[in-house]
Amino acid sequence: NIFVLAGVDMGQSMLLSIDYKLMGMRTIVAYVIMSAGCFSFQYIISSNDRFNQRLLNELKSKSAEIERQNKVLLRQQSELNEVNHSLEELVNVKTRSIQRQNEMLIKYSYTNAHKVRGPVARILGLIQVSRLKSDLNFPWFFERVEEETKGIDEIISSLSKELNRTENESRKAEEITKQKLD
């Protein structure tokens, strides 16, 4: 009945009895083939595991190298930010120094145009008057010239002091900035 269900008729069943004698041999061959396949698969799996482990170790090594380089880059970025900040501060100090110098030049120009030119014009006027009149009281004339010249000298001295003070302030500010940069 089992042979009929399997689709084997009685004529073929005779062959099966002959094959029955070889069944042990078939079992051993099948066992050897299956064992060889299992060993082959096991070898392939273990070699893949070793290969994967090598790849993982390489990845860990590369990851550690990238992490180290990242730390170096972050440190360098921080240093660059500090240098950039210092340079910005230096630019600000230089800008303030230039602004002070511009203010001094404006003051100097104003003083030159209004305060110095006045006494100089008066002296030139006195000289012109002395050429026109020959009966001038020369001591009075020279006293006036001396007064105007002293006025010019005072104005120029005060300008010089102011310019020196501004220059010293600028130099001190630059030195402080340079010390901060170092």
Side-chain angles (χ1 to χ4, degrees):
N1 290 336
I2 295 174
F3 287 125
V4 173
L5 288 173
V8 178
D9 62 0
M10 289 306 265
Q12 291 178 338
S13 66
M14 287 299 194
L15 286 174
L16 288 176
S17 66
I18 296 172
D19 283 342
Y20 182 72
K21 294 178 183 175
L22 297 174
M23 195 180 279
M25 182 62 106
R26 283 184 193 165
T27 304
I28 291 174
V29 170
Y31 177 75
V32 169
I33 291 173
M34 289 195 318
S35 295
C38 286
F39 284 125
S40 296
F41 286 139
Q42 183 181 6
Y43 176 75
I44 291 170
I45 289 171
S46 66
S47 68
N48 281 342
D49 284 346
R50 285 190 303 273
F51 181 72
N52 286 341
Q53 190 62 40
R54 272 197 318 265
L55 288 178
L56 282 174
N57 288 339
E58 270 187 57
L59 282 175
K60 285 179 184 177
S61 171
K62 297 287 182 181
S63 177
E65 177 67 20
I66 289 172
E67 188 66 31
R68 186 189 62 76
Q69 289 175 349
N70 190 35
K71 286 179 182 178
V72 168
L73 287 174
L74 287 174
R75 182 180 45 82
Q76 289 174 343
Q77 181 185 14
S78 175
E79 290 172 0
L80 281 175
N81 286 339
E82 288 176 17
V83 169
N84 189 31
H85 178 71
S86 298
L87 288 175
E88 286 177 3
E89 189 174 323
L90 179 63
V91 166
N92 289 337
V93 167
K94 289 284 189 180
T95 302
R96 287 192 297 271
S97 172
I98 290 170
Q99 286 173 340
R100 282 194 297 270
Q101 289 173 353
N102 283 342
E103 289 171 5
M104 282 306 303
L105 287 174
I106 290 169
K107 285 181 185 178
Y108 175 76
S109 298
Y110 174 82
T111 302
N112 185 38
H114 293 79
K115 292 184 180 179
V116 175
R117 287 292 299 156
V120 169
R122 286 191 288 275
I123 290 173
L124 291 174
L126 288 172
I127 291 172
Q128 289 297 325
V129 169
S130 72
R131 288 186 184 155
L132 294 175
K133 292 189 177 186
S134 58
D135 62 342
L136 282 177
N137 181 0
F138 283 105
W140 170 86
F141 175 77
F142 287 117
E143 286 174 10
R144 294 295 298 157
V145 169
E146 182 181 17
E147 288 174 17
E148 296 298 329
T149 306
K150 285 180 181 178
I152 292 172
D153 184 49
E154 288 175 11
I155 291 169
I156 291 173
S157 294
S158 68
L159 274 176
S160 179
K161 288 177 186 176
E162 186 70 25
L163 288 172
N164 285 336
R165 185 184 59 78
T166 303
E167 185 178 339
N168 288 337
E169 287 175 1
S170 296
R171 199 173 297 132
K172 286 179 185 177
E174 287 177 19
E175 288 174 7
I176 290 170
T177 305
K178 285 180 184 178
Q179 289 174 354
K180 286 181 182 179
L181 289 175
D182 294 336

